Amino acid sequence: MFSLRLAFLAITVSSAIAGVIPLTDDCIKGVTFEGTPKGNIDTFTINGVATYVAKAQHSSNPNRALLLLTDIFGLPLVNSKLMADDFAANGFDTFIPDYLNGDPVPVDDPTFNMTAWLPNHTEAQTMPTLLAAIDGLKKEGFKEFLSTGYCFGGLYSTRLSQQNIVKVGTMAHPSLLTVPDDFETLLANSHVPIQMNSAELDTAFSPAVQAIADGILGDGKYRPGYDRPFFTGVGHGFAVRANLSNPIEKEAKEGAFFAAVKWLRAHD
């Protein structure tokens, strides 16, 4: 494997990505909804883990890596790779490690057996792969890690935050959390600022669960910092797979991305 540092010279993400919305007042470059990902994955592995790499053209911290932890659709989902490109356009060297071990859920297959899939993708199978990718990045010179997780990946952004492996954590519509234990573990063990983008119609991270998180972490009780942006009229998955023909979903997807960038910047 050739060095990431040298490889980055060939896979730098352009700062002028077609199809994005203009800069916001906070100088955040907007969301790419369609197109071809700019990063690299064809033959790229980090410590044996297939990884999508989106390199920032202008990074304020070349020793910092952002881990984008996907939903169950993993690396094949174009939306996730476009999002990694967008984080890179905002100054974060971004990596999507295949912690699903080459076995994502097929996109748009209503017959897929999730009951059979889940036991083969527990933390016992996925966490070692994720940690191997982090160790590989450390060997390449990265010293600080941030995480952003979506759905299934929200659990892993939570785990990395609980274990203080990352400096800052954000997520959107997390799933498979143990309630209230995961929030109490954060409160007891973590010094990582945490953000949870949430949805009114989410059945996995429901308003009832959101209220429990607020009760444990909110109102200044979680001293590192807690933020829970709330988006009305949308459900689970909105931050990754929004229906762009629906202006409410489109705006919520943009809002969750902008909130994540602001949170990462504020606490980095």
Side-chain angles (χ1 to χ4, degrees), residues 1 79 81 120 124 132 204 216:
M1 171 186 161
N79 293 29
K81 294 192 279 286
N120 296 318
I216 295 170

Side-chain angles (χ1 to χ4, degrees), residues 1 31 34 67-68 86-87 95 102 105 118 137 148-149 153 158 162 185 190 198 200 216 223 263:
M1 171 186 161
V31 179
E34 297 175 329
L67 304 167
L68 194 157
D86 287 338
F87 278 112
F95 303 85
V105 171
L118 279 171
L137 288 168
T148 181
T158 300
Q162 289 170 333
T185 299
S190 181
S198 57
E200 179 186 19
I216 295 170
R223 294 187 178 276
W263 186 254

Side-chain angles (χ1 to χ4, degrees), residues 84-176:
D85 292 350
D86 287 338
F87 278 112
N90 283 283
F92 297 97
D93 293 333
T94 305
F95 303 85
I96 309 180
D98 179 22
Y99 69 116
L100 299 180
N101 298 309
D103 186 31
V105 171
V107 179
D108 298 325
D109 182 0
T111 67
F112 187 77
N113 189 339
M114 280 293 298
T115 302
W117 184 86
L118 279 171
N120 296 318
H121 298 81
T122 68
E123 292 181 56
Q125 289 98 1
T126 53
M127 199 68 181
T129 304
L130 177 55
L131 294 176
I134 293 172
D135 286 342
L137 288 168
K138 288 179 179 178
K139 292 175 184 177
E140 291 291 343
F142 290 96
K143 299 177 181 178
E144 294 181 353
F145 296 88
L146 320 175
S147 65
T148 181
Y150 299 88
C151 307
F152 192 80
L155 171 65
Y156 293 87
S157 192
T158 300
R159 288 289 177 269
L160 296 179
S161 298
Q162 289 170 333
Q163 298 173 33
N164 296 301
I165 293 171
V166 295
K167 182 180 178 183
V168 189
T170 181
M171 66 191 77
H173 37 74
S175 60
L176 301 179

